[in-house]
């Protein structure tokens, strides 16, 4: 069965113009194995797109647009994402900007091809034999005014390059540079204004600093508070904001010091690899390793937890995808679960890579994107999914009434 594309345009009174699903949901459904889920999704082909908070733009819509740009977020909103993300870091003058990491300017912007390359923590070194090309440029290397002169690009680098121009390439073949003409870089405050204009809600992530904290007199608490203050200044209702951090201390700060915002603060869970005196490491299928336990997190005032999607799934003895012990324990403790990140892996014919590692033995076609999403939504009970191309998730959520 090949699904015809859904209508290209739909209009929502509260969110403005929506661009429509485009061909990708139909393509993925056509790749699914025959069965009830495929039939259900195919039967929704005539539905009109509506905005849904279940669909979250992961850095905008970076499958096709440079991440954290105005263009990427407009595309995500047009694809039905009800919530948009700005990953937040800071510049040398402690102004907040949207970048996935404090030290990614060398792969996400043209900084190495500008005079600002001289300010990078580590300048460009060409590949030499078995030694790959390298560079490191941080937002904290430059001021806000300097940051705003940069041109974003698709996040990529060619480690075999011997020139800056070559190094700035390396885009994965399943992404595109088709929409990469002079995209607009964003400060955090600009992202708030843009998301407001798009009728979307907010999920900023406070990124770990690459510099030692405090940075001068700028403490971690100052950083966490400044993030909140920019929403207060913009008059944003706290119920429309889901603050995020991988650092449990940040989440606890918001819960204790900005309770209106802290009520929806999201603990991004990287305990599969990270640990300290208070956290992890954990095995998602062994609750005895959970530190803190899910109930202890809930008792701290944490209401939302967000792991990579593979932590929420495992295979039973029959080889079927089922919720992991992690997912079951989080649900039992009353935690809301948000998963990341959909369509980050590219084509799934090879098992889906890192994001699908716990169920890789069952993954062999792009149609499995929807099989996985259905288990996460129906059996795990996630409340939202980050996606690099939100239309895919929006289509499912609209069809299922989420």
């Amino acid at each position: 069965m090949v699904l015809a594309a859904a209508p290209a345009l739909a209009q929502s009174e509260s969110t403005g113009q929506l661009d429509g699903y485009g061909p990708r949901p139909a393509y993925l459904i056509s790749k699914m194995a025959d069965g009830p889920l495929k039939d259900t999704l195919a039967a929704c082909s005539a539905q009109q797109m509506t905005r849904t908070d279940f669909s979250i733009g992961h850095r905008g819509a970076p499958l096709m647009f440079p991440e954290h740009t105005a263009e990427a977020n407009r595309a995500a909103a047009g694809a039905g994402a009800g919530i948009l993300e700005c990953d937040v870091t800071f510049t040398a003058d402690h102004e907040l900007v949207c970048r996935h990491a404090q030290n990614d300017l060398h792969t996400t912007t043209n900084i190495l091809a500008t005079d600002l390359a001289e300010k990078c923590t580590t300048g460009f070194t060409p590949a030499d034999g078995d030694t790959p090309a390298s560079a490191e440029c941080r937002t904290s290397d430059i001021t806000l005014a300097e940051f705003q002169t940069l041109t974003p690009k698709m996040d990529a680098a060619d480690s075999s390059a011997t020139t800056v121009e070559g190094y700035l390439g390396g885009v994965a073949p399943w992404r595109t540079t088709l929409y990469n003409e002079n995209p607009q870089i964003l400060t955090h405050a600009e992202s708030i204004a843009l998301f407001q204009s798009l009728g979307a809600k907010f999920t900023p992530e406070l990124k770990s600093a690459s510099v030692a904290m405090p940075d001068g007199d700028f403490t971690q608490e100052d950083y966490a508070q400044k993030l909140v203050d920019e929403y207060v200044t913009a008059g944003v209702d706290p119920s429309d904001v889901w603050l995020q951090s991988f650092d449990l201390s940040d989440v606890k700060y918001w819960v204790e010091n900005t309770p209106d915002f802290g009520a929806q603060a999201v603990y991004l869970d990287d305990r599969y690899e990270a640990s300290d005196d208070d956290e992890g490491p954990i095995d998602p299928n062994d609750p005895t390793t959970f530190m803190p336990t899910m109930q202890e997190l809930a008792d701290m005032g944490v209401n939302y937890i967000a792991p990579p999607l593979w932590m929420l799934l495992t295979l039973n003895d029959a080889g079927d995808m089922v919720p992991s012990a992690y997912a079951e324990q989080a649900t039992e403790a009353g935690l809301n679960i948000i998963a990341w990140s959909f369509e980050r892996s590219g084509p799934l014919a090879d098992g889906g890579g890192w994001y699908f590692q716990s169920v890789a033995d069952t993954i062999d076609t792009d149609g499995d994107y929807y099989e996985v999403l259905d288990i996460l939504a129906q059996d795990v009970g996630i409340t939202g999914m980050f996606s690099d191309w939100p239309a895919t998730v929006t289509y499912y959520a609209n069809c299922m009434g989420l």
Side-chain angles (χ1 to χ4, degrees):
M1 179 188 300
V2 178
L3 177 67
L9 295 175
Q11 183 74 22
S12 168
E13 204 171 281
S14 62
T15 59
Q17 188 66 49
L18 298 176
D19 297 330
Y21 300 113
R24 186 155 176 79
Y27 167 78
L28 295 179
I29 294 166
S30 75
K31 297 298 181 182
M32 295 176 66
D34 290 340
L37 178 60
K38 182 174 183 177
D39 292 342
T40 297
L41 293 175
C44 291
S45 63
Q47 70 184 354
Q48 285 202 325
M49 175 186 282
T50 57
R51 189 73 56 86
T52 170
D53 292 351
F54 186 84
S55 180
I56 306 170
H58 181 237
R59 316 184 202 177
L63 185 66
M64 297 182 72
F65 292 81
E67 65 186 46
H68 290 312
T69 60
E71 291 77 5
N73 283 292
R74 289 191 187 102
I83 303 173
L84 300 176
E85 179 185 46
C86 168
D87 289 328
V88 178
T89 187
F90 59 85
T91 60
D93 44 352
H94 299 150
E95 296 298 331
L96 304 186
V97 297
C98 299
R99 286 291 93 193
H100 180 63
Q102 192 169 53
N103 63 339
D104 75 359
L105 293 182
H106 51 289
T107 65
T108 64
T109 75
N110 68 336
I111 189 170
L112 290 174
T114 74
D115 291 342
L116 291 174
E118 297 178 358
K119 295 192 171 186
C120 288
T121 296
T122 305
F124 173 70
T125 300
D128 183 12
D130 294 333
T131 303
S134 63
E136 183 182 4
C137 303
R138 302 174 177 176
T139 59
S140 54
D141 291 334
I142 58 177
T143 66
L144 174 62
E146 291 168 332
F147 173 84
Q148 291 178 308
T149 68
L150 298 176
T151 300
K153 69 178 192 69
M154 293 297 279
D155 184 13
D158 184 349
S159 62
S160 68
T162 58
T163 66
V164 166
E165 292 74 16
Y167 184 76
L168 293 177
V171 177
W174 41 270
R175 295 186 183 272
T176 180
T177 58
L178 187 61
Y179 306 104
N180 202 24
E181 182 179 357
N182 299 318
Q184 179 187 345
I185 206 164
L186 293 172
T187 67
H188 177 237
E190 288 171 341
S191 79
I192 295 173
L194 175 63
F195 298 177
Q196 286 176 314
S197 74
L198 294 170
K201 299 175 184 178
F202 314 82
T203 185
E205 178 187 338
L206 195 74
K207 303 301 294 191
S208 298
S210 297
V211 296
M213 296 294 280
D215 184 42
D217 61 356
F218 191 59
T219 67
Q220 185 68 26
E221 292 75 16
D222 292 334
Y223 183 26
Q225 185 63 50
K226 186 166 187 172
L227 177 67
V228 172
D229 290 345
E230 294 200 347
Y231 287 95
V232 174
T233 298
V236 176
D237 189 323
S239 66
D240 289 339
V241 182
W242 287 262
L243 307 173
Q244 307 175 70
S245 180
F246 280 105
D247 189 339
L248 184 57
S249 296
D250 293 334
V251 177
K252 292 167 67 175
Y253 174 86
W254 292 321
V255 168
E256 294 166 6
N257 295 278
T258 62
D260 288 347
F261 288 89
Q264 292 188 161
V266 181
Y267 174 38
L268 294 165
D269 198 347
D270 62 354
R271 289 179 292 169
Y272 54 85
E273 65 173 4
S275 63
D276 56 31
D277 291 342
D278 300 319
E279 302 169 75
I282 68 172
D283 174 348
N285 288 302
D286 183 359
T288 65
T289 68
F290 294 2
M291 185 177 74
T293 67
M294 297 300 181
Q295 188 58 55
E296 287 170 340
L297 287 171
D299 292 344
M300 294 175 193
V302 175
N303 292 316
Y304 286 83
I305 193 165
L309 64 87
W310 67 263
M311 290 180 69
L312 297 169
L313 299 173
T314 189
L315 299 178
N316 63 18
D317 292 341
D320 299 321
M321 288 185 285
V322 295
S324 65
Y326 178 104
E328 293 172 342
Q329 292 277 309
T331 299
E332 185 176 327
L335 298 176
N336 297 287
I337 305 171
I338 301 171
W340 49 272
S341 292
F342 215 56
E343 296 186 277
R344 190 74 188 163
S345 295
L348 300 188
D350 63 354
W354 189 85
Y355 285 92
F356 295 82
Q357 60 185 278
S358 63
V359 292
D361 288 347
T362 70
I363 302 295
D364 56 16
T365 176
D366 283 352
D368 289 327
Y369 270 120
Y370 275 134
E371 302 287 355
V372 169
L373 184 57
D374 191 58
I375 297 294
L376 290 169
Q378 306 302 329
D379 296 348
V380 174
I382 63 171
T383 61
M385 171 64 82
F386 282 95
S387 180
D388 281 26
W389 193 244
T392 303
V393 174
T394 302
Y395 183 98
Y396 175 88
N398 288 171
C399 188
M400 299 297 182
L402 299 177

